[in-house]
Amino acid sequence: MTLVAHLTELRNRIAKALFFIALGTVVGFIWYDRGLLTFLTGPYCEVPDRLRLDGDGDCRLVVLDVFGGVLLRLKIAFIAGIGLSAPFWLYQLWAFITPGLKRNEKRYTVGFVAASTLLFAGGTVLAWLTLRKGLELLLRLAGDEVAFQLTAPLYLSFVISLLVAFGLSLELPLIAVALNLVGVLSYDALKKSRRWIFFLTIVFAAFVTPTQDPFTMLAMAGPMILLFELAIQTARVVDRRRARRAAIEGFHNLGDDEASPLDARPSSLDDASSPTAR
């Protein structure tokens, strides 16, 4: 394909992706007051009543300006639309990239798309499970004489940023696996840097988590460390297979007068005295 043809196809793919995102945004806009807002405000409403000004059983967030409610609904609907339409716009991205990939690269790409989707979903679920405890801890730190009435834009932005932070953080070990598969990052380098990786993971979790409390930080750092260790062990297996494959290819590419690398290892028979030598 010519450059113009590539750009035309890219334009068409982007247009289709934006169409699906717009369609998902419409669905999110309708879903907003049919369960989505209740789902997002759940952790705040589960906080003990004495920590909220509206602690009489009626849990409500506050909007301080006239257009705040409309903009808030559009923002939440757009983010929900991106998530709901992800399979469709990811397919458009995949369809644009696929013709330029080799067969093994296509196989890896399908696996990485599936793994990244599962890891992001797992990260959001983990964030949701830790959100209530982290939120309650932050509100308690203000003291027993303080009660809260949170504004809707700030609270919902906080919830969404926490979900996205957890989801993206679990993608980092997958990047290490990808770099190893393409030959950029070796198992030896990962093994030597294991302690630094674990230390920097804890530092990363401390800065990225919006709550910055120890409970939420450990809830993010713990799974990341386990996934990084899994990535290191995956790199070990991949490098072993790569070395074995290289040895076999080197054997087949030998000349008639060259020694085989497979015979380079010493044999126990070499140390034994030959009967003919006596």
Side-chain angles (χ1 to χ4, degrees), residues 94 98 101 104-116:
W94 166 249
T98 297
L101 298 178
N104 62 331
E105 293 174 335
K106 294 178 182 179
R107 183 176 68 251
Y108 289 147
T109 304
V110 172
F112 276 110
V113 170
S116 61

Side-chain angles (χ1 to χ4, degrees), residues 130-190:
T130 59
L131 179 59
R132 181 183 179 276
K133 290 297 182 180
L135 181 63
E136 182 177 345
L137 176 62
L138 289 177
L139 298 184
R140 286 182 182 275
L141 290 177
D144 296 334
E145 291 76 18
V146 177
F148 291 85
Q149 181 68 64
L150 301 181
T151 62
L154 292 179
Y155 169 77
L156 293 177
S157 297
F158 162 75
V159 173
I160 291 173
S161 62
L162 185 66
L163 296 177
V164 173
F166 266 76
L168 293 180
S169 65
L170 296 189
E171 305 282 350
L172 296 179
L174 188 63
I175 296 177
V177 175
L179 293 177
N180 174 258
L181 288 175
V182 299
V184 176
L185 192 61
S186 65
Y187 164 69
D188 292 334
L190 289 171

Side-chain angles (χ1 to χ4, degrees), residues 50-252:
R50 61 184 182 82
L51 296 177
R52 295 187 282 108
L53 286 177
D54 54 354
D56 54 356
D58 186 15
C59 179
R60 292 178 179 271
L61 297 172
V62 177
V63 177
L64 300 179
D65 57 281
V66 176
F67 294 101
V70 177
L71 297 177
L72 177 66
R73 183 164 184 164
L74 290 175
K75 178 181 177 180
I76 300 300
F78 177 70
I79 296 174
I82 293 177
L84 293 174
S85 62
F88 302 99
W89 58 261
L90 282 176
Y91 170 77
Q92 298 300 323
L93 177 62
W94 166 249
F96 178 75
I97 296 176
T98 297
L101 298 178
K102 299 178 182 179
R103 180 175 300 178
N104 62 331
E105 293 174 335
K106 294 178 182 179
R107 183 176 68 251
Y108 289 147
T109 304
V110 172
F112 276 110
V113 170
S116 61
T117 302
L118 292 177
L119 287 175
F120 187 85
T124 56
V125 171
L126 181 62
W128 185 255
L129 294 177
T130 59
L131 179 59
R132 181 183 179 276
K133 290 297 182 180
L135 181 63
E136 182 177 345
L137 176 62
L138 289 177
L139 298 184
R140 286 182 182 275
L141 290 177
D144 296 334
E145 291 76 18
V146 177
F148 291 85
Q149 181 68 64
L150 301 181
T151 62
L154 292 179
Y155 169 77
L156 293 177
S157 297
F158 162 75
V159 173
I160 291 173
S161 62
L162 185 66
L163 296 177
V164 173
F166 266 76
L168 293 180
S169 65
L170 296 189
E171 305 282 350
L172 296 179
L174 188 63
I175 296 177
V177 175
L179 293 177
N180 174 258
L181 288 175
V182 299
V184 176
L185 192 61
S186 65
Y187 164 69
D188 292 334
L190 289 171
K191 181 180 178 180
K192 293 177 181 178
S193 306
R194 179 187 274 115
R195 294 183 179 180
W196 278 105
I197 291 175
F198 294 166
F199 172 74
L200 293 176
T201 298
I202 297 175
V203 174
F204 172 81
F207 279 97
V208 169
T209 50
T211 59
Q212 295 184 350
D213 62 278
F215 179 78
T216 307
M217 182 192 71
L218 293 177
M220 175 184 287
M224 286 184 66
I225 290 176
L226 292 177
L227 289 173
F228 268 119
E229 181 61 30
L230 180 60
I232 293 174
Q233 298 305 319
T234 302
R236 179 173 65 89
V237 175
V238 171
D239 283 1
R240 282 185 177 181
R241 292 181 177 179
R242 184 180 291 126
R244 191 181 302 117
R245 190 182 306 115
I248 295 175
E249 291 177 354
F251 172 76
H252 288 293

